[in-house]
Amino acid sequence: MPVPAGSSSALEFTLPEPLAAIATRPGDPGYEAVRHTYTRPGSPAAVLRVRNERDIGAALAFARREHVPLTVRSGGHGISGRSTNDGGLVVDLSLLASVTVLDAESGLVRVGAGARWGDVAAALAPHGLAVSSGDTGDVGVGGLATAGGIGLMSRRYGLTVDHMRAAELVLADGSLVRTDDLHDPDLFWAVRGAGANFGVATAFEFHASSVEGVCVDVSLYDASDTAAALTRWGEAVEASPRMVTSFLTLVTGPGGRPVAQAMTVYAGTDLEAADRAVRNLRSTGPLLHNRLSATSYHRLVPAAHQPQRAQQPLSVVRSGLLHRLDTAVTEAIASVADAAGIVQLRSVGGAVNDMPAAAMAYAHRSQNFSLMAATVPALANDFDQRWEALTPHVDGLYLSFETRTGMRQLQDAFPGPVLPRLIALKAHYDPEHRFDNNFALPTGPA
Ligand SMILES: Cc1cc2nc3c(=O)[nH]c(=O)nc-3n(C[C@H](O)[C@H](O)[C@H](O)COP(=O)(O)OP(=O)(O)OC[C@H]3O[C@@H](n4cnc5c(N)ncnc54)[C@H](O)[C@@H]3O)c2cc1C
């Protein structure tokens, strides 16, 4: 049962063993460190640092019996702040964070859902392996791997979910399942894109890629003509080899000048080849600053383990997937930027689009860009009017970058036959809606 953080309900209950032993409650030392998420303050009645699937089963059973709301948390970096609550239980998976190389030759690895992606990268680096995840090492494995995973090597290696070989979940009845292509394949299909709807994911197996190192180009461009800069960047990205993945953020430079900051990763170690490959992007606009260097993937995405204090309170976040950044699109993005706190474009395409759309619940396999824009509630009306002008150009959304959760967003996140299939699976695996925290699916007809 979802509990909106910010509501004032405080539930009184006594926790049975073994839950009492793993609970951090208001007044306990350490409560301040676990109550909030990165984007939202919370006041849960207890944060349960679960040690294994039995603890999770006990928490689910208690929540069901006592009608206590329950929320699942891996890294606490969900944009919508849904991994805390007020007055309920938080199942905190941070102790389930082991990273094991099962077979170094084939790159098969097992990762606990409570690990941070930066820690995964650091653990795999000595084996010459990496799983492309997101741009931030503090993001948790569980939230990202159940949704998609648009990373800094996506055009070369695809999404994080594209590398998943198996998932372990505690279902609503407390049973632990291991699902893959041969075991409960429908569930495995659903986990890779809509996973938070079906259970508590405890671990995943991934087929990691051999990654010796990367080259990183960080460039700042004058984006006074924002639309033109975005169009040129988009054309350059599409013309680039798959080794190149570029993320672009619009920022305000000195004197209020619009600046585009591009972080471009060449998924290889040859600095000269990287220089040639990213040169295309220099057409984005007048270059203000540039640094190209060789590094390792894990240094690119370190996990800082920053304390979570709701330090990123932007609560109106919109996502749109785009095929092209032609002028009509970039003019609309430039208009959104005028009312936004942050605008980011991530290149997808390349290997992301090699995967058949029917392969898993994340089905967006033809777009080239993922747009995320966010603002504060006070600017939401103006911002949303500007966003509406973009919608004719948008083809789908990525749920991790969207705070609205209505039927329209579900249809955009899960296009065509994906949503009806997910709804049928929801009715089978979670008929009582125990797992409705992240983009809740209905169980009846859409
Ligand atoms: C600074 C920042 C940068 C980001 N960059 C990227 C990026 O480059 N690419 C990208 O793809 N995404 C990115 N994201 C989005 C991020 O991937 C998602 O927000 C993701 O859900 C966060 O995972 P988490 O485990 O930290 O989140 P949490 O806050 O712990 O959880 C998010 C949601 O998933 C559910 N959930 C978490 N773990 C589990 C589990 N084990 N089983 C079932 N449900 C679970 C929670 O209940 C909650 O609803 C970024 C987010 C932030 C804040």
Side-chain angles (χ1 to χ4, degrees), residues 37-39 71-79 81-83 93 113 133-136 138-144 146-151 195-196 199-202 204 247 312 346 398 400-401 437-438:
T37 75
Y38 181 67
T39 60
T71 296
V72 181
R73 178 192 299 166
S74 288
H77 263 60
I79 295 276
R82 301 193 186 110
S83 56
L93 298 165
S133 51
D135 62 3
T136 302
D138 265 352
V139 163
V141 166
L144 181 135
T146 48
I150 297 174
V200 182
T202 55
F204 306 93
F247 285 13
Q312 182 66 268
R346 289 169 166 81
Y398 176 38
S400 287
F401 292 149
N437 252 188
N438 207 15

Side-chain angles (χ1 to χ4, degrees), residues 217-399:
D217 180 85
V218 178
S219 296
L220 293 180
Y221 299 98
D222 183 327
S224 299
D225 186 345
T226 304
L230 294 179
T231 298
R232 287 191 295 258
W233 174 80
E235 285 168 356
V237 166
E238 284 196 65
S240 297
R242 286 170 174 224
M243 301 288 273
V244 172
T245 301
S246 189
F247 285 13
L248 182 136
T249 305
L250 293 177
V251 295
T252 304
R257 176 164 61 169
V259 170
Q261 179 183 310
M263 153 123 26
T264 304
V265 170
Y266 176 85
T269 51
D270 183 337
L271 209 47
E272 279 177 26
D275 189 36
R276 281 194 301 277
V278 303
R279 215 170 282 163
N280 240 349
L281 293 156
R282 302 276 181 262
S283 61
T284 300
L287 189 63
L288 304 174
H289 167 84
N290 157 246
R291 183 160 191 270
L292 174 66
S293 57
T295 185
S296 54
Y297 178 69
H298 77 283
R299 288 205 181 85
L300 186 62
V301 289
H305 290 274
Q306 278 189 348
Q308 292 180 332
R309 303 179 311 271
Q311 60 264 53
Q312 182 66 268
L314 290 168
S315 56
V316 179
V317 188
R318 303 287 176 256
S319 163
L321 297 168
L322 301 158
H323 293 274
R324 299 263 114 73
L325 298 185
D326 56 30
T327 307
V329 176
T330 57
E331 282 174 355
I333 297 175
S335 162
V336 168
D338 286 339
I342 182 166
V343 173
Q344 285 185 328
L345 279 152
R346 289 169 166 81
S347 57
V348 278
V352 175
N353 293 350
D354 289 345
M355 186 63 70
M360 60 188 79
Y362 186 100
H364 302 292
R365 302 297 179 168
S366 59
Q367 301 87 335
N368 286 303
F369 302 96
S370 161
L371 169 68
M372 187 272 270
T375 194
V376 291
L379 296 178
N381 285 344
D382 181 26
F383 174 81
D384 270 336
Q385 272 171 19
R386 292 163 187 262
W387 183 266
E388 271 311 299
L390 253 176
T391 51
H393 310 287
V394 161
D395 180 9
L397 65 77
Y398 176 38
L399 64 82

Side-chain angles (χ1 to χ4, degrees), residues 112-169:
R116 306 296 180 103
W117 281 107
D119 294 332
V120 177
L124 298 185
H127 304 273
L129 297 172
V131 179
S132 180
S133 51
D135 62 3
T136 302
D138 265 352
V139 163
V141 166
L144 181 135
T146 48
I150 297 174
L152 286 164
M153 300 192 292
S154 280
R155 289 183 79 243
R156 168 108 201 247
Y157 296 116
L159 303 176
T160 308
V161 283
D162 299 351
H163 292 264
M164 200 186 291
R165 293 294 171 264
E168 294 166 25
L169 288 100

